[in-house]
Amino acid sequence: MGAGEEVSSSSSGNQNGSHSDITNVILNVYDLTPINNYSYWVGFGIFHSGIEVHGKEYGFGAHDFPISGVFEVEPKSCPGFIYRCSILLGCINMPFSEFRALIESVASEYHGDTYHLISKNCNHFTEDMVHRLTGKHIPGWINRLARIGSLCSCLLPESLQVTTVKQLPEYHEMDGTETLSTASLGGSTEIDDTDPEKQLLSPKDGNSDISFIKEAQMCECKVP
């Protein structure tokens, strides 16, 4: 694997329960297609990844709105994807409140309508977060498809465009912090479910376990 080591479920989350500020930084990797079972061994495949910190997993997905596309789920349980492995990338000493402020700040840089498979996908998000937290990088094989695609886009079918969370984000209160939950768009939706560009990498219906992170609000200071 190179830039990390696989970990078991027993080593996930906080490294030591008596020191809640200390937490492992774990990359959870998922398959998007069964073909990965064969291509993985030659360093190629189509993967989704999420970063696990303080007992929750954070990822980046697409929707049609200019608001946060960063969401949280239970570790190793991202709907619509097939869990493959976890890679320990380091350990940090950061209170949850400080991490929460960081993830909300980063969420403002990752709006759902800016997702792009080649230039700004879920693996770019985890690479960014891992580097901010540990100074390290995720293993190269996880986002190799995007790098190849940026060099030769003709290799990729048009259907490989976006990981769409096809539900309307709604804010709600959870443990004193604001998050977003997903609600079905129903008949009034402008998202075309027949669009192949928004089907291949789409999580399955009923993603009530996904909570979107509300981005930090920028302070507008008025100059007298």
Side-chain angles (χ1 to χ4, degrees), residues 82-153:
I82 305 169
Y83 171 75
R84 169 171 285 277
C85 66
S86 295
I87 303 171
L88 177 62
L89 293 174
C91 180
I92 59 173
N93 189 340
M94 177 180 288
F96 174 75
S97 59
E98 184 179 339
F99 172 76
R100 188 73 184 190
L102 173 63
I103 195 73
E104 290 179 357
S105 175
V106 173
S108 66
E109 304 173 22
Y110 288 87
H111 287 179
D113 62 347
T114 66
Y115 185 103
H116 189 277
L117 180 68
I118 302 302
S119 60
K120 194 174 185 179
N121 64 33
C122 56
N123 302 318
H124 290 109
F125 166 75
T126 53
E127 164 72 18
D128 186 12
M129 284 298 302
V130 167
H131 191 261
R132 294 187 195 216
L133 292 170
T134 70
K136 298 180 181 179
H137 300 279
I138 66 174
W141 54 269
I142 294 174
N143 209 25
R144 187 164 291 148
L145 175 69
R147 293 198 301 275
I148 293 176
S150 66
L151 296 175
C152 186
S153 59

Side-chain angles (χ1 to χ4, degrees), residues 17-96:
S18 63
H19 299 284
S20 59
D21 291 352
I22 300 176
T23 180
N24 287 327
V25 177
I26 300 171
L27 188 73
N28 294 326
V29 184
Y30 300 79
D31 290 328
L32 298 182
T33 170
I35 296 175
N36 283 2
N37 290 328
Y38 306 97
S39 60
Y40 169 79
W41 300 109
V42 293
F44 186 79
I46 307 175
F47 302 99
H48 168 79
S49 66
I51 181 174
E52 181 182 343
V53 181
H54 281 298
K56 286 289 186 179
E57 180 178 319
Y58 301 86
F60 173 50
H63 53 65
D64 286 356
F65 309 97
I67 55 177
S68 169
V70 176
F71 60 88
E72 68 177 24
V73 296
E74 290 300 314
K76 307 175 186 177
S77 304
C78 191
F81 306 116
I82 305 169
Y83 171 75
R84 169 171 285 277
C85 66
S86 295
I87 303 171
L88 177 62
L89 293 174
C91 180
I92 59 173
N93 189 340
M94 177 180 288
F96 174 75

Side-chain angles (χ1 to χ4, degrees), residues 5-16:
E5 56 181 298
E6 292 193 26
V7 295
S8 64
S9 58
S10 62
S11 63
S12 63
N14 288 346
Q15 187 182 48
N16 189 323

